[in-house]
Amino acid sequence: MSIVGHFINGKVTDTHSRLQDVYNPATGKTIRQVAIAPKAVAEEAVAAAQAAFPEWRDTPPIKRARIMFRYKQLLEEHTDEICRLIGQEHGKIVHDAAGELQRGIENVEYACGAPEILKGEFSKNIGPGINAWSDFQPLGVVAGITPFNFPAMVPLWMYPLALVCGNTFVLKPSERDPSATLYIGQLLKKAGLPDGVFNIVNGDKEVVDTLLTDKRVKAVSFVGSTPVAQYVYTTATASGKRCQALGGAKNHAIVMPDADMENVVTSLLGAAFGSSGERCMALSVAVAIGDEIADQLVTKLQERMKSLTIGVHSDENNDFGPVITREHQQRICSYITSAEQQGAKILVDGRNMTVPGYENGFFVGATLIDNVTTTMDSYKAEIFGPVLQVVRVKTMQEGMEIIDEHEYGNGTCIYTRDGEAANYFADRIQVGMVGINIPLPVPVSYHSFGGWKNSLFGDLHAYGPDGVRFYTRRKTITQRWPSANLRESAEFSMPTMK
């Protein structure tokens, strides 16, 4: 059985303390194993990045950008293989995998603008013969810790921008679906990236803790669950590192009485059930304003959900596939059961879902739950599965209050034809990313991604302009050259321009 290894200093190695099975979630069978690295391997990767940093730091931004241009081309040329690997280990349908990869490539495109985004600021003659400027310099070795649900896109949120900013990088991907991440990482070498500048280490908490505490690592980016995000942020910052840690979500969609109901239903189907709901931006709660609109919504959803198709990643006709593990499948079903026990109505039940020919797969069918209240366990938790819950309220203000009261503040949206209501919602809701008739308001690569409250720990969001600031530090230089025409006496007060 093949082993997925690490990528350190331009070479693949499978040194390990143990091997962990990697499953095809559609079949439930082990298809390969991943090498779980001991601490020494993580330290080797950090050392390789540290050694490569001085030369890479001094590489002109235009040369770094040219490598990214070639990398973009290679990602596009190898799309089919990348999507196959994502589908095999994650279960994501090929069209969804292609969408994930494309959003990642867009971040590579943004990184190709390195000469522009790294331009400093210059002020001439701030005083007699004095000029001042600031530039943005790399931090050194930086690290990324990424989740299973986007094995291509989320790493591409991080390392392309970190690299063009002049840093070297160590990536710890999810051990559940590591092959696509390793594959696209190796393409960087083909694009011309020098050995040691980018490294991948597969591992568990031992590797994570090594990256969080090693003094050579200057910054850490993380995406995952809130409890782990809190741990990563606390540990990294206690070790003197810069950290951005993106955590969990519970994304609500307010459905106003004037909303285009056909558009709402179509949007919710994709946003709630796409990628089996394993998205931090998945719309998992529909907040219906009034019983009349709620009744219309659930009736239309039930009808449309009958036509959803679930199955293996290679069939493009499928809407979504399995969830990542047997344990996660059971966890999702337990939340459905708890909602039922606590008084909610299961209108469409995805428990005990089986797909012909894939009876041992980790499938959960699309589930619709009505009459959910904010005290229920299923409402409080990030279920991370194909489960859409409907909460009924009387007013928009009531709906906004329950969104604001939730511990997460990642994404939200409102469906309405009323511009005043939409603007009021967007201005006042306590959530980091807002859609207006847009179900998945994931920012494009030249903006930045991040939530509020317990959805983000740290001051800067991911990628885009905030990403540049995260992976660089500002240095300001004030300069004057000696002049025969300018002689000053000693000044003992604070220098000023009067």
Side-chain angles (χ1 to χ4, degrees):
M1 183 172 290
S2 63
I3 297 175
V4 182
H6 323 290
F7 184 66
I8 300 173
N9 206 22
K11 298 180 177 62
V12 176
T13 173
D14 63 2
T15 304
H16 58 271
S17 56
R18 63 183 175 89
L19 294 173
Q20 180 169 311
D21 290 343
V22 177
Y23 295 91
N24 180 336
T27 64
K29 295 181 179 179
T30 301
I31 53 174
R32 52 186 66 94
Q33 293 180 304
V34 59
I36 301 299
K39 181 178 181 179
V41 171
E43 291 175 334
E44 180 187 351
V46 173
Q50 180 79 355
F53 175 63
E55 183 176 352
W56 183 246
R57 173 192 57 203
D58 293 336
T59 301
I62 187 64
K63 290 189 175 181
R64 301 179 204 148
R66 286 170 182 161
I67 291 172
M68 285 300 148
F69 275 112
R70 290 192 288 271
Y71 185 48
K72 171 185 178 293
Q73 183 178 356
L74 288 169
L75 289 170
E76 292 170 340
E77 290 174 355
H78 293 81
T79 290
D80 289 347
E81 177 62 12
I82 297 166
C83 291
R84 185 184 69 82
L85 291 171
I86 293 172
Q88 273 189 348
E89 296 180 353
H90 177 277
K92 191 172 294 186
I93 308 304
V94 65
H95 54 73
D96 191 15
E100 168 188 347
L101 180 59
Q102 178 57 36
R103 290 304 294 260
I105 289 172
E106 289 169 8
N107 285 279
V108 178
E109 291 174 332
Y110 181 75
C112 288
E116 175 66 24
I117 62 180
L118 292 176
K119 285 198 307 187
E121 301 161 342
F122 185 86
S123 296
K124 186 175 182 179
N125 203 29
I126 63 166
I130 303 174
N131 299 329
W133 70 92
S134 61
D135 59 17
F136 303 101
Q137 299 188 353
L139 305 178
V141 179
V142 298
I145 303 166
T146 56
F148 74 84
N149 58 324
F150 287 103
M153 184 184 76
V154 172
L156 290 172
W157 283 4
M158 299 178 183
Y159 63 78
L161 197 53
L163 295 177
V164 298
C165 287
N167 303 283
T168 53
F169 204 95
V170 179
L171 175 65
K172 204 300 282 186
S174 172
E175 64 278 13
R176 294 176 180 174
D177 49 3
S179 294
T181 310
L182 177 64
Y183 186 87
I184 64 175
Q186 289 177 276
L187 292 179
L188 272 169
K189 181 169 184 175
K190 292 185 179 180
L193 191 73
D195 291 346
V197 174
F198 177 73
N199 308 272
I200 300 173
V201 181
N202 295 300
D204 52 19
K205 188 175 183 294
E206 184 178 18
V207 169
V208 170
D209 285 344
T210 301
L211 298 177
L212 296 181
T213 57
D214 193 307
K215 293 182 179 180
R216 294 169 295 180
V217 177
K218 304 303 181 184
V220 177
S221 299
F222 171 84
V223 176
S225 68
T226 285
V228 182
Q230 288 177 307
Y231 173 80
V232 166
Y233 182 78
T234 300
T235 307
T237 54
S239 300
K241 304 185 193 309
R242 187 178 291 187
C243 185
Q244 55 178 192
L246 282 68
K250 192 73 174 185
N251 306 313
H252 302 69
I254 283 191
V255 184
M256 296 291 286
D258 68 338
D260 179 342
M261 188 55 65
E262 293 300 325
N263 179 56
V264 171
V265 171
T266 299
S267 294
L268 287 177
L269 289 174
F273 306 130
S275 197
S276 301
E278 293 175 319
R279 294 171 175 162
C280 68
M281 289 296 283
L283 273 179
S284 55
V285 181
V287 182
I289 310 302
D291 284 333
E292 182 179 351
I293 201 74
D295 290 341
Q296 292 179 36
L297 178 64
V298 297
T299 298
K300 289 182 179 293
L301 280 168
Q302 287 180 85
E303 185 60 32
R304 292 282 299 277
M305 288 170 66
K306 294 176 182 177
S307 63
L308 295 178
T309 57
I310 305 165
V312 68
H313 71 93
S314 55
D315 185 348
E316 292 198 23
N317 293 317
N318 288 326
D319 295 306
F320 63 92
V323 297
I324 189 68
T325 63
R326 179 76 67 197
E327 293 75 16
H328 190 50
Q329 177 194 43
Q330 294 168 349
R331 177 178 179 271
I332 294 167
C333 291
S334 73
Y335 276 119
I336 300 171
T337 300
S338 75
E340 185 175 38
Q341 292 172 343
Q342 293 171 5
K345 296 180 180 179
I346 313 299
L347 302 181
V348 181
D349 194 343
R351 293 171 292 184
N352 303 315
M353 173 74 192
T354 58
V355 175
Y358 298 91
E359 287 79 8
N360 293 319
F362 311 144
F363 292 96
V364 179
T367 298
L368 179 63
I369 309 177
D370 194 11
N371 296 112
V372 173
T373 68
T374 59
T375 62
M376 294 179 180
D377 294 338
S378 64
Y379 173 80
K380 296 175 184 177
E382 182 183 29
I383 297 176
F384 223 58
V387 179
L388 176 60
Q389 301 180 86
V390 177
V391 174
R392 295 170 178 245
V393 298
K394 294 180 180 180
T395 67
M396 173 181 166
Q397 194 63 43
E398 184 184 353
M400 291 178 65
E401 287 172 1
I402 69 170
I403 295 172
D404 289 345
E405 288 168 0
H406 203 284
E407 66 168 308
Y408 297 129
N410 203 48
T412 188
C413 78
I414 185 171
Y415 290 101
T416 183
R417 290 185 173 94
D418 187 333
E420 181 180 8
N423 288 334
Y424 181 88
F425 178 81
D427 286 346
R428 289 166 175 78
I429 200 71
Q430 298 300 298
V431 175
M433 293 172 283
V434 180
I436 298 172
N437 300 314
I438 300 290
L440 295 174
V442 180
V444 293
S445 62
Y446 41 91
H447 286 267
S448 295
F449 181 105
W452 290 7
K453 298 182 284 189
N454 282 348
S455 292
L456 173 69
F457 302 89
D459 297 324
L460 292 169
H461 289 193
Y463 66 77
D466 270 19
V468 177
R469 296 297 180 265
F470 182 77
Y471 290 121
T472 60
R473 52 187 170 185
R474 181 189 295 265
K475 179 178 286 186
T476 303
I477 301 97
T478 306
Q479 170 184 282
R480 179 174 65 185
W481 293 106
S483 171
N485 298 323
L486 183 63
R487 290 290 183 266
E488 295 181 350
S489 58
E491 289 281 354
F492 296 97
S493 57
M494 188 68 182
T496 62
M497 278 298 297
K498 296 181 180 179

